[in-house]
Amino acid sequence: MAQAIVDVLVVTDLALIRDHTGGASRRFSFKGLIKGVTMSHLMNNYARLPIALSHGDGSWVTDTEGRIYLDALSGIAVSTLGHNHPVLVAAIAAQAGRILHSSNLYRMPQQEDLADKLATLSGMDEVFFCNSGCEANEAAIKLARFYGHKLGVENPSIIVMENAFHGRTMATLSATGNRKAQAGFEPLVTGFVRVPYNDMDAIRNVGEHNQSVVAVMLEVLQGEGGIRIADLDFQRELRQICDEKGWLLICDEVQCGMGRTGTWFGFQHAAIVPDVVTLAKGLGGGVPVGACIAGGKAAGLFGPGNHGSTFGGNQLATTAALTTIDVIEKDHLMANATTVGRLIREALGEALAGQSGVIDIRGQGLMIGIELDRPCGELVQRGLDAGVLINVTAERVVRLLPPLTFSAEEGRELVSRLAPLIVEFLSA
Ligand code: PLP
């Protein structure tokens, strides 16, 4: 980590810094310096915690100081198989020894195999590969607009939800239902109509008055928005209205997909099939890979030149994803997510029973939220002190996203570390 020792001089809300190594003075925001007097050349766009993880094994990670943590976050739903999984490590190493990347100018058998697999698992038709969740959602948004134009809709619109999170690129940020994330980046991309989550009447109302709607986009389980689940009836009615109106149903499964909720995809709990599904995070078990799956009326829309990505679905990424899926199947990790997720929620329920300040404990599989009655970001640092990696989202929701390999024993260990922290925090 490139770091420099600096003198910090606070000038109202700005800090003037003299860098001993280079001698140059630079201005930084006060907030960026508050945690210490070291600086790096990284852009200050993350509020990073003061640890660096050095290595991991299963659900356990060790930092550069030798401290060990139980990982109940898996890099925000990414390390599906935990850390250092021998099968994934071997597959990646073997692929790296053959070819990492060739470009989408050429066929890639691994990419074709992964597309076949995802089509089978989703009951859909075709896949575009990219590198991240926002990129998968960009593809979905472009697909919906393309579909609209083919139908003769001049300015196609997409219905999106309050509290949704779809990414940080301009289009996905505009689709995101979080004013704080959008502030300062206006003008936003137009063509999104926002409705409350789980509100069919609002969607019907938009449908009646807005002839430019061509799609609805939602997370069936909102992650960043605070682990909120779309009612199964709402999902089914949404499928129905999309069929009636000829709209595409786009499910953003970037966080809840790939087995995390106990099924391959969150929408499978409602027994529906969307027209477009986006994936990333857990798909490659830690190797960046995203996917936009299309089916039904969304299939066959793009032709050569309509969309692309240099790295998208290269041999390394698609090998990692194929291997991750294979291990999930062979080791019955979705069943594990269901069982261990239930165990964690029940154990939390017992440990926090009667505790004032706990509003709700909810989730599906290994996607769990504990909603408190007050902002609780400081629990993340307290978690580090207690040797557990957790996250807080939507200000008041403790979020747990452990690897799908998390054992029952690790689930109990997590609760025994976390519940006292929450009790102590709420009792202060
Ligand atoms: N969609 C959902 C549901 C997400 O949770 C996220 C990230 O948290 C994204 C999209 C954006 O993914 P990425 O950060 O890989 O661009």
Side-chain angles (χ1 to χ4, degrees):
M1 203 185 301
Q3 282 190 331
I5 311 294
V6 295
D7 292 338
V8 178
L9 175 65
V10 177
V11 185
T12 59
D13 65 334
L14 285 175
L16 188 63
I17 296 169
R18 194 172 64 246
D19 178 341
H20 287 301
T21 50
S25 290
R26 296 170 67 187
R27 285 186 150 230
F28 285 83
S29 78
F30 180 74
K31 200 171 160 227
L33 289 166
I34 211 157
K35 285 219 164 104
V37 287
T38 53
M39 59 167 267
S40 76
H41 294 284
L42 290 171
M43 218 178 258
N44 189 25
N45 59 318
Y46 299 108
R48 290 182 205 271
L49 292 158
I51 64 163
L53 299 178
S54 141
H55 55 280
D57 186 20
S59 307
W60 298 86
V61 283
T62 305
D63 72 12
T64 47
E65 305 295 316
R67 288 179 298 238
I68 296 172
Y69 307 86
L70 179 58
D71 184 0
L73 192 60
S74 44
I76 320 185
V78 168
S79 310
T80 317
L81 307 182
H83 301 275
N84 200 15
H85 192 287
V87 178
L88 183 58
V89 171
I92 291 171
Q95 186 57 50
R98 287 193 287 270
I99 188 166
L100 291 172
H101 176 88
S102 67
S103 134
N104 284 298
L105 291 171
Y106 311 101
R107 289 184 60 181
M108 287 182 251
Q110 298 89 333
Q111 199 184 92
E112 292 173 24
D113 290 349
L114 181 59
D116 288 350
K117 190 73 198 175
L118 291 174
T120 305
L121 298 179
S122 62
M124 296 169 69
D125 298 317
E126 56 183 34
V127 188
F128 163 76
F129 288 108
C130 51
N131 313 284
S132 64
C134 61
E135 215 188 330
N137 286 333
E138 284 279 342
I141 292 164
K142 281 181 71 175
L143 209 49
R145 287 185 168 198
F146 207 63
Y147 169 75
H149 284 295
K150 289 222 155 158
L151 292 180
V153 179
E154 207 175 321
N155 290 305
S157 308
I158 301 174
I159 296 179
V160 291
M161 308 291 146
E162 285 176 7
N163 287 318
F165 187 85
H166 297 301
R168 303 274 190 175
T169 58
M170 280 314 304
T172 59
L173 181 67
S174 306
T176 287
N178 179 340
R179 274 301 301 149
K180 234 162 110 181
Q182 293 170 336
F185 299 106
E186 299 83 359
L188 298 175
V189 174
T190 56
F192 298 103
V193 183
R194 198 167 306 286
V195 297
Y197 198 52
N198 265 329
D199 187 341
M200 257 335 277
D201 288 343
I203 290 173
R204 281 200 198 92
N205 192 35
V206 174
E208 270 166 35
H209 297 101
N210 187 336
Q211 300 311 311
S212 68
V213 173
V214 295
V216 180
M217 183 169 185
L218 92 156
E219 302 155 82
V220 296
L221 205 173
Q222 289 185 335
E224 306 298 306
I227 312 292
R228 293 175 202 284
I229 306 176
D231 298 336
L232 297 184
D233 282 347
F234 171 77
Q235 294 182 45
R236 292 187 193 114
E237 283 175 45
L238 203 49
R239 176 67 276 178
Q240 210 178 335
I241 195 173
C242 285
D243 288 339
E244 284 164 18
K245 298 267 187 191
W247 299 341
L248 300 182
L249 177 57
I250 304 172
C251 285
D252 176 346
E253 296 255 347
V254 166
Q255 191 162 147
C256 67
M258 296 318 296
R260 180 152 291 282
T261 67
T263 52
W264 283 111
F265 305 100
F267 61 78
Q268 289 171 331
H269 292 282
I272 57 166
V273 182
D275 302 295
V276 182
V277 171
T278 56
L279 296 171
K281 288 192 181 283
L283 177 58
V287 174
V289 53
C292 175
I293 314 176
K297 49 190 182 290
L301 289 173
F302 281 167
N306 287 139
H307 200 50
S309 166
T310 296
F311 290 116
N314 74 14
Q315 285 91 338
L316 179 75
T318 44
T319 295
L322 278 167
T323 309
T324 301
I325 291 173
D326 203 37
V327 174
I328 293 174
E329 279 180 332
K330 288 198 174 119
D331 291 354
H332 310 288
L333 295 185
M334 288 185 288
N336 187 64
T338 303
T339 314
V340 177
R342 190 180 303 127
L343 178 152
I344 293 172
R345 288 196 304 278
E346 285 174 3
L348 282 167
E350 277 170 33
L352 298 173
Q355 174 64 49
S356 68
V358 176
I359 304 284
D360 195 16
I361 298 168
R362 57 178 176 255
Q364 229 171 10
L366 284 172
M367 195 161 172
I368 298 169
I370 307 152
E371 182 175 350
L372 306 186
D373 67 351
R374 66 201 75 170
C376 58
E378 68 187 76
L379 275 171
V380 173
Q381 178 62 51
R382 293 192 191 193
L384 288 188
D385 297 340
V388 60
L389 303 187
I390 57 164
N391 172 254
V392 168
T393 190
E395 286 192 347
R396 297 186 291 120
V397 181
V398 177
R399 177 170 50 165
L400 307 175
L401 300 161
L404 304 192
T405 48
F406 220 59
S407 68
E409 197 185 337
E410 288 164 342
R412 282 187 280 271
E413 181 65 29
L414 166 63
V415 175
S416 76
R417 292 185 189 207
L418 178 59
L421 297 183
I422 294 175
V423 171
E424 194 185 320
F425 171 74
L426 290 172
S427 310

